[in-house]
């Protein structure tokens, strides 16, 4: 019997026990404060959204497919969108539309691969550092993440093989191209070594590739999934968030064989199907507009912002600090050294009016607490400069 | 070591072990066959979508909020939509926008409440019969469903209390208004008895209310969550699928206290946030258009279709069969008796060119196999007539 003066307690599943906030939520809260310059989120530069083209695509859908767009549909996704996704992936991996499962953004894709394949106690191997929201999603299926030691070229193949033999992981989760948060683009030779380990051990790869098209220097490098023999033991995750717009929430999973059916059954339980309006509008955009030309415009801007932010950042960081110099993607990754704990630095920085993501959040275990992630794409150059001056003042206060 | 000639097997989580299809998937497959008249899905009548108004709402969003609509946003949902949702619910339950968690359709809402509150082995009490996709979603969190014996007024309070004491369920999942599949609208007196049991035992209620606004006869009856003392121990699930359009995938959960934070953390893991474009377009529609007038138009059509389908259905069913006569919602529920197994009847019916949902799918256990669910809203009268003639031929073949 409950005491009538006390409301009954809602039960909390074990997977969320003790979780009252997350790094992502804290970020979003900071972002909602208008006076803070945020380098924290992975938000594209809003002024370069192709808003009028996208508006025309939605209107085209209502003019040409109103009944279809507004009605219930099938779980794998709209044929038009699956065809466009297959066409884009086929530039490096031959892909048919039935090898595509549409998702409500790539976060749902990450969640579904975990939900479809993981039982409590299973191990997933991840990069060190890795994408924090992927860790959260896999953890909500009860999995334990083990970080793969890495060097400047990304995860080390010898360490990967040792960890596979030690932990028998359900899969390996990698972001080989312009990794989040490190910005590392794994060279082809390293990808081939990783692929060889995965082939030899029969280990499933989940390859997250949201940033691959945001390249502003160097040549295209095939996904690991595109290397010989890997396509049928990989799931490749893509999203339109970075090449079109994240507010629309459309992504997809590319895979082969019965796992696609399981992913679809999981998707059905989680949300039946993604917004048909959004799917058809994205398909229209990918079919009728020159998205590659749009991406070329955007990455030229991103390159300039990377250059500017990196140069100014090195000026304000203490001696011995390192900052990556990625050829694409959205993030700089800085290791400040000098005993600086960026988690403790953040509240001071927010007081000064600037935000970043403390590196701690990106480690499955044993974090390097002196690291931070900064997005160079969200803000124009003069705002980046002002934000870094604020960060400089925060560092002065830390040292003083 | 895997044999190089055999692709490695993707692992399948225990929650999906042995699941190669689902009743919903089979339905969608049947629906995609153009020559079959389907009474199976819960698809609204497409010809009554307010397509031009909805088109104008999307266009308004791009004209007035392009940067907002295309950018990342916060997990609980857009303030404009949460405000509109709170306003609608406040007609029977005082609700503030911060008591709303936006979801990508009500299926995601159902999934999230299970994901947030259930551990493997937990018990959920459900109606007999109940919504099949809710059972699937709760089962994917490892829960066990136990059916509450019911009568013509819905779940029986005495049976509910006994089952609560026997199973200590994490929550009770009810669809009190125009229940899916039975069409039953629980009378106020029964709701008060149920509420009394829930209050006395301190049991959490998940009240799914997708059909409540589709009433074409009788007076509005408050949700159970609206009864004294129940709002703080209930989660109320709504959707725009039945009052606006299901292809847009927008729904919400109304609740109070710390559970809203847990639901938001679950939502973040599952998909970060719902489509901002869709959320803002729906908020615009609910604010600037007369959705209640639209609903009045639609339910008048639905009433006529219910009358026609029910009359013709009784003519073709064998003696002793019963058919409900709901005052709203989308479905007729028929019990054919006479030893008919509707799961075995379905393939014959599909051969004849008509589809329904066999009742078996809607039972957590001990199904009445002679039952079937038919939607009267999807097809115009002449198609309903033709479909029922086909069903009549299928029944002739069953008996002959």
């Amino acid at each position: 019997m409950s005491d009538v003066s006390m409301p009954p307690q809602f039960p909390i599943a074990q997977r969320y026990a003790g979780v009252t906030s997350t790094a992502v939520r804290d970020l979003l809260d900071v972002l909602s404060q208008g006076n803070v310059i945020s380098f924290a989120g992975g938000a594209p530069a809003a002024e370069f959204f192709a808003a009028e083209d996208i508006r025309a695509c939605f209107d085209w859908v209502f003019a040409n497919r109103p009944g279809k767009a507004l009605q219930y549909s099938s779980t794998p996704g709209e044929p038009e969108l699956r065809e466009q996704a297959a066409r884009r992936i086929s530039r490096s991996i031959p892909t048919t539309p039935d090898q595509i499962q549409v998702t409500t953004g790539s976060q749902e894709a990450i969640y579904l691969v975990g939900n479809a394949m993981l039982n409590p106690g299973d191990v997933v191997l991840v990069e060190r550092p890795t994408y924090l929201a992927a860790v959260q999603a896999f953890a909500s299926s009860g999995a334990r993440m083990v970080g793969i030691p890495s060097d400047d070229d990304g995860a080390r193949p010898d360490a990967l093989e040792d960890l596979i033999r030690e932990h028998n992981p359900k899969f390996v989760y990698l972001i080989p191209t312009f990794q989040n948060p490190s910005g590392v683009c794994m060279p082809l030779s390293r990808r081939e070594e990783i692929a060889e380990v995965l082939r030899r051990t029969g280990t499933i790869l989940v390859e997250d590739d949201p940033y691959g098209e945001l390249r502003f220097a160097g040549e295209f490098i095939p996904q690991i999934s595109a290397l010989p023999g890997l396509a049928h033991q990989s799931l490749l995750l893509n999203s339109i968030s970075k090449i079109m717009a994240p507010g629309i929430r459309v992504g997809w999973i590319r895979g082969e064989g019965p796992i696609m059916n399981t992913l679809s059954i999981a998707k059905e339980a989680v949300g039946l199907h993604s917004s048909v309006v959004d799917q058809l509008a994205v398909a229209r955009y990918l079919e009728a507009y020159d998205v590659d030309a749009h991406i070329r415009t955007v990455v030229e801007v991103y390159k300039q912002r990377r250059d500017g932010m990196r140069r100014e950042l090195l000026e304000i960081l203490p001696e011995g600090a390192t900052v990556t110099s990625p050829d694409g993607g959205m993030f700089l990754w800085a290791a400040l050294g000098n005993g600086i704990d960026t988690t403790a630095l953040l509240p001071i920085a927010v007081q000064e009016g600037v935000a970043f993501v403390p590196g701690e959040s990106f480690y499955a275990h044993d974090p390097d607490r002196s690291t931070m992630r900064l997005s160079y794409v969200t803000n124009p150059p003069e705002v980046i400069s002002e934000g870094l001056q604020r960060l400089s003042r925060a560092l002065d206060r830390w040292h003083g």
Side-chain angles (χ1 to χ4, degrees), chain A:
Chain A
M1 293 296 131
S2 65
D3 181 335
V4 289
S5 66
M6 285 281 288
Q9 293 292 304
F10 285 83
I12 303 293
Q14 189 58 39
R15 62 178 70 85
Y16 300 117
V19 183
T20 55
S21 190
T22 68
V24 171
R25 296 177 71 70
D26 295 344
L27 281 188
L28 294 171
D29 281 350
V30 167
L31 282 169
S32 70
Q33 297 173 29
N35 54 338
V36 172
I37 294 175
S38 179
F39 303 137
E47 66 271 32
F48 294 99
F49 287 143
E52 279 305 315
D53 288 348
I54 296 171
R55 177 184 188 175
C57 289
F58 276 85
D59 205 57
W60 182 92
V61 168
F62 285 109
N64 293 276
R65 310 265 190 280
K68 173 81 178 149
L70 295 173
Q71 190 56 284
Y72 281 116
S73 189
S74 67
T75 303
E78 294 312 299
E80 295 92 322
L81 179 59
R82 299 170 84 196
E83 189 180 318
Q84 291 301 318
R87 186 177 63 79
R88 288 191 81 76
I89 296 173
S90 291
R91 295 180 298 184
S92 54
I93 313 172
T95 300
T96 54
D98 64 306
Q99 293 170 329
I100 300 293
Q101 169 65 56
V102 173
T103 63
T104 304
S106 77
Q107 180 65 28
E108 193 189 62
I110 292 168
Y111 183 80
L112 290 178
V113 302
N115 184 256
M117 296 197 282
L118 296 172
N119 293 316
D122 285 345
V123 167
V124 175
L125 300 184
V126 299
E127 289 152 320
R128 276 185 60 79
T130 189
Y131 177 46
L132 69 170
V135 169
Q136 281 171 226
F138 300 150
S140 83
S141 288
R144 186 164 63 89
M145 265 54 71
V146 175
I148 313 164
S150 62
D151 56 25
D152 290 348
D153 287 344
R156 280 172 31 212
D158 58 330
L160 174 63
E161 184 150 9
D162 289 346
L163 290 171
I164 289 172
R165 299 201 185 279
E166 182 181 349
H167 293 287
N168 190 26
K170 282 296 174 77
F171 58 81
V172 178
Y173 172 78
L174 299 178
I175 313 163
T177 308
F178 311 133
Q179 205 253 2
N180 181 1
S182 73
V184 168
C185 182
M186 188 183 279
L188 181 59
S189 57
R190 175 61 60 89
R191 290 176 195 232
E192 288 169 339
E193 293 172 312
I194 296 283
E196 169 57 22
V197 171
L198 296 173
R199 268 194 305 267
R200 185 156 12 98
T201 57
T203 306
I204 300 299
L205 170 67
V206 174
E207 181 170 19
D208 196 1
D209 189 26
Y211 311 107
E213 303 205 42
L214 296 186
R215 175 183 286 282
F216 41 70
E219 292 292 309
F220 171 77
I221 302 175
Q223 299 95 334
I224 296 177
S225 305
L227 299 178
L230 259 288
H232 67 275
Q233 75 184 68
S234 301
L235 296 173
L236 178 67
L237 279 45
N238 284 146
S239 161
I240 60 108
S241 292
K242 315 306 188 214
I243 62 172
M244 191 176 162
I248 305 177
R249 311 309 299 137
V250 169
W252 49 78
I253 305 169
R254 186 260 180 225
E256 300 180 12
I259 187 65
M260 298 311 288
N261 190 47
T262 304
L263 287 169
S264 185
I265 288 169
K267 165 82 178 172
E268 183 186 309
V270 169
L272 204 50
H273 61 73
S274 295
S275 164
V276 185
V277 178
D278 294 353
Q279 289 186 68
L280 293 178
V282 170
R284 171 70 182 171
Y285 185 73
L286 296 179
E287 187 193 348
Y289 292 78
D290 190 347
V291 61
D292 297 310
H294 172 69
I295 294 169
R296 281 193 297 274
T297 307
V298 172
V299 297
E300 182 55 37
V301 174
Y302 287 2
K303 178 180 188 302
Q304 291 169 17
R305 291 182 180 184
R306 177 207 63 175
D307 290 344
M309 181 185 251
R310 185 167 190 273
R311 186 180 60 247
E312 294 176 41
L313 187 60
L314 283 168
E315 287 168 9
I316 65 154
L317 291 185
E319 200 165 345
T322 62
V323 179
T324 54
S325 183
D327 287 341
M330 310 177 89
F331 303 114
L332 293 181
W333 179 248
L336 278 58
N338 297 282
I340 298 171
D341 179 336
T342 57
T343 301
L345 177 65
L346 181 60
I348 303 172
V350 170
Q351 280 177 4
E352 293 291 339
V354 64
F356 54 83
V357 191
E360 180 186 16
S361 319
F362 298 98
Y363 289 89
H365 48 81
D366 306 318
D368 177 348
R369 292 181 175 275
S370 89
T371 53
M372 61 167 64
R373 190 192 77 175
L374 302 99
S375 163
Y376 49 80
V377 305
T378 311
N379 300 292
E382 63 279 12
V383 178
I384 290 177
S385 296
E386 171 60 26
L388 291 178
Q389 289 310 309
R390 296 178 184 184
L391 181 59
S392 179
R393 288 196 290 275
L395 283 164
D396 288 345
R397 283 176 56 192
W398 172 271
H399 289 295

